[in-house]
Amino acid sequence: MSPTTHRRQIPRWSELRPLVRRRPLVANPTDRRLARAHTIEDLRAIARSRTPRSVFDYVDGAAEGEVSIGAARRAFRDCVFHPRVLRDVSSVTPQATILGSASALPLVLAPTGFTRLMHHEGELAVARAAAAAGVPYTLSTMGTTSIEELAAASEPGARNWFQLYLWKDRDASRNLIDRARTAGFEALVLTVDTPVAGARLRDVRNGFTIPPTLTARTVADISLHPAWWFNLLTTRPLEFASLTSWGGTVAELVNQMFDPSVGVEDLAWLRAQWTGKLVVKGIQSVADAQLVTDLGADAVVLSNHGGRQLDRAVNPLRLLPEVVAAVGDRAEVFIDTGIMNGADLVAAAGLGATAGLVGRGYLYGLMAGGSRGVTRALQIFETQATRTMQLLGVTRLADLDAAHVSLAAST
């Protein structure tokens, strides 16, 4: 018996019409560009196409062989989730309590230097997006917007933190602390993993300087990224808001300004100077987490500086459960380095973290589309975190624990 054959026919328009779907018309070109981004990796790809190579590499790169950053991202990707079923997840919130106040996500926007280099709107764009999304934002000592300018531009209720490096000039450090206090910043974040600059080889090979110098390579780059260069050259000069003047490489700046002799007594001094919330960032051992907690830190950040300092450093995610067990009853534990997905935030929460700090993730958004791009990055994190919680069968972050997530075996 021969198989049944179907006679071909030309479809009528009335049959095709229900299949036609027009995409909504988006007039703003930035919004059109960002609408194509569904992951942080998508934003990264857009950022790469829109910024000079040296600028993108400064954000994207890490120290030496970039082993640490790769290992941190793999650790998050290799986490195993253990979902529960038959749970009502019709209403889910990824809201967290961070340093005693509500945050829409278990997420803090990390301090990043030279932010106006990535996009001319700089720190103000990031702070606006963070406030609108209901998450804290950390202004860096190496920022290109001043403490006072950020405070003046902030909406009521914005959660502004200030990140501090202790300089060789302690009077200058004290001045920054006083200014942050006067401006009403909620928390002070001391970074302790930068006694000297890491070897960021992409920057070395690109001849990266602050501000960018006009060389044959950069002049050629103008033709490839005219909008970026136009914005750089037609807005106020790129300069450090906390430094009187500077020109050179990042490594030269770090080694000239930062104090490699910072010790325990300096943290005790800082605790006496600052009566608000104190966060210590750059912790890479249980012993140091206990040390800074004993000295009065309200929170510790497990971080290897995004892999940008000591390459092959300890993986923060693998360290997280031990630190939570050691100090979690006395201090909040945050994690930094490698977070590229809202599911990463959920995994960290399941392993005991109060929140994750994200730097590159929002900078990709900033480079892709200014403040709108940062907002898009935050939307992506929120969507992914909420969906992950629903699929895990939990409605609140407080319901997450080690029964929901486990680390892959170390290789």
Side-chain angles (χ1 to χ4, degrees), residues 256-329:
Q256 177 175 322
M257 300 297 297
F258 295 6
D259 189 350
S261 71
V262 171
V264 171
E265 65 281 0
D266 296 292
L267 179 55
W269 170 82
L270 181 61
R271 178 70 281 184
Q273 296 290 317
W274 179 263
T275 57
K277 298 292 186 181
L278 178 62
V279 181
V280 179
K281 179 176 179 287
I283 298 301
Q284 298 174 69
S285 72
V286 174
D288 281 346
Q290 292 172 321
L291 173 66
V292 301
T293 301
D294 290 343
L295 290 169
D298 298 292
V300 299
V301 184
L302 306 184
S303 170
N304 59 35
H305 212 103
R308 296 162 73 82
Q309 283 297 106
L310 176 66
D311 204 13
R312 294 179 286 180
V314 66
N315 190 306
L317 188 64
R318 294 195 174 277
L319 184 63
L320 176 59
E322 295 179 68
V323 172
V324 170
V327 304
D329 59 338

Side-chain angles (χ1 to χ4, degrees), residues 326-358:
V327 304
D329 59 338
R330 297 185 292 142
E332 295 182 19
V333 181
F334 305 151
I335 185 169
D336 170 78
T337 305
I339 297 172
M340 291 285 285
N341 191 296
D344 298 340
L345 296 172
V346 175
L351 294 170
T354 298
L357 270 68
V358 170

Side-chain angles (χ1 to χ4, degrees), residues 40-198:
I40 299 301
E41 286 289 353
D42 290 342
L43 287 175
R44 178 182 179 273
I46 297 171
R48 186 171 190 171
S49 70
R50 294 189 60 79
T51 49
R53 176 177 175 177
S54 61
V55 174
F56 176 82
D57 278 353
Y58 172 72
V59 172
D60 194 61
E64 303 192 42
E66 305 192 358
V67 174
S68 290
I69 185 60
R73 288 176 176 168
R74 282 194 303 275
F76 277 109
R77 288 198 301 266
D78 292 345
C79 277
V80 179
F81 285 123
H82 306 279
R84 299 298 304 274
V85 298
L86 300 177
R87 302 293 197 271
D88 181 359
V89 290
S90 56
S91 179
V92 167
T93 175
Q95 180 173 303
T97 300
I98 301 176
L99 295 184
S101 298
S103 174
L105 286 167
L107 172 65
V108 177
L109 297 191
T112 60
F114 328 127
T115 311
R116 284 189 57 239
L117 187 66
M118 293 76 176
H119 189 279
H120 65 283
E121 294 180 357
E123 290 88 355
L124 294 180
V126 181
R128 284 197 303 271
V135 299
Y137 168 62
T138 315
L139 177 67
S140 173
T141 296
M142 311 308 294
T144 45
T145 298
S146 72
I147 293 169
E148 293 78 12
E149 185 180 4
L150 188 80
S154 295
E155 296 292 331
R159 298 188 64 186
N160 294 329
W161 298 4
F162 182 68
Q163 178 269 339
L164 179 71
Y165 291 104
L166 283 179
W167 294 352
K168 294 175 182 177
D169 183 348
R170 285 292 191 274
D171 287 339
S173 295
R174 183 183 291 107
N175 176 257
L176 288 174
I177 296 167
D178 291 342
R179 289 167 59 190
R181 181 187 299 109
T182 300
F185 277 56
E186 173 186 328
L188 192 67
V189 181
L190 175 68
T191 298
V192 294
D193 59 6
T194 315
V196 296

